[in-house]
Amino acid sequence: MKWVKKYENLIVLRTFSKRAALAGLRVGYGGFPLSMIKYLWRAKQPYNVSVAAEIAACAALQNPVYLENVKVALVQERERLFNLLKEVSFLNPYPSYSNFILCKVTSGRDAKKLKEDLAKMGVMIRHYSNKELAGYVRISVGKPEHTDALMESLKHLY
């Protein structure tokens, strides 16, 4: 956020989805140079976040211990997921500092079919159809039980 004050063309957007474990509430915030705000107000939708989302976000911000615990859990699970994905013969995962891991689908497998096959088993991942990311899937970091379900489903596809 400090960079927003330095660079006139920089906007920083943040979400509470993973960082505060508030994904279902769809709440976030942004930092903008003052020169851009008048233009952004023109495009802003008429309603802000719900009252429940606002209260939850404020409560999370007032509880640094909670935020730290959520972050530690996310980082630990991301590391575990990454290491497990490295063991899958047809995936090449890339290291990540985000709440997801990008994987190249290899060994002649099709990324879209992989997504569809996993969806049939109740596991949702994202594939890309644009040329830059064709052949890649994005796997979100979730709870340990979500990782376990993903890995169990992937075993059926080996």
Side-chain angles (χ1 to χ4, degrees):
M1 283 294 185
K2 293 177 186 174
W3 288 7
V4 173
K5 291 180 181 178
K6 283 185 181 180
Y7 302 98
E8 226 174 276
N9 63 344
L10 179 65
I11 295 174
V12 175
L13 301 174
R14 298 275 172 88
T15 175
F16 283 74
S17 293
K18 294 288 182 170
R19 179 67 179 96
L22 299 177
L25 296 177
R26 313 303 280 169
V27 64
Y29 62 96
F32 312 91
L34 287 174
S35 62
M36 290 186 180
I37 290 178
K38 66 181 177 182
Y39 300 106
L40 294 169
W41 275 109
R42 292 179 191 168
K44 180 190 167 301
Q45 294 183 351
Y47 302 103
N48 290 313
V49 298
S50 69
V51 172
E54 184 177 348
I55 290 170
C58 288
L61 288 172
Q62 292 171 1
N63 190 340
V65 172
Y66 167 77
L67 287 174
E68 184 63 20
N69 289 342
V70 169
K71 182 181 86 173
V72 167
L74 174 68
V75 170
Q76 286 176 343
E77 193 57 25
R78 181 181 62 214
E79 176 104 0
R80 183 172 91 93
L81 176 60
F82 178 76
N83 289 326
L84 289 169
L85 291 172
K86 287 194 304 188
E87 297 173 11
V88 178
S89 63
F90 53 88
L91 292 178
N92 180 21
Y94 290 87
S96 176
Y97 291 97
S98 185
N99 64 341
F100 64 88
I101 297 174
L102 184 69
C103 299
K104 183 171 180 60
V105 180
T106 64
S107 304
R109 300 230 182 191
D110 180 75
K112 184 177 180 183
K113 181 159 178 14
L114 175 61
K115 176 203 180 291
E116 291 167 352
D117 290 345
L118 287 171
K120 289 176 188 171
M121 293 183 252
V123 176
M124 304 305 292
I125 65 171
R126 182 174 179 184
H127 91 287
Y128 296 95
S129 56
N130 60 332
K131 68 178 183 176
E132 294 85 7
L133 289 172
Y136 287 81
V137 293
R138 172 183 150 162
I139 300 173
S140 293
V141 180
K143 296 178 180 179
E145 56 266 28
H146 300 150
T147 299
D148 295 342
L150 168 70
M151 297 312 297
E152 188 62 34
S153 296
L154 285 171
K155 284 180 188 175
H156 294 292
L157 302 176
Y158 281 61

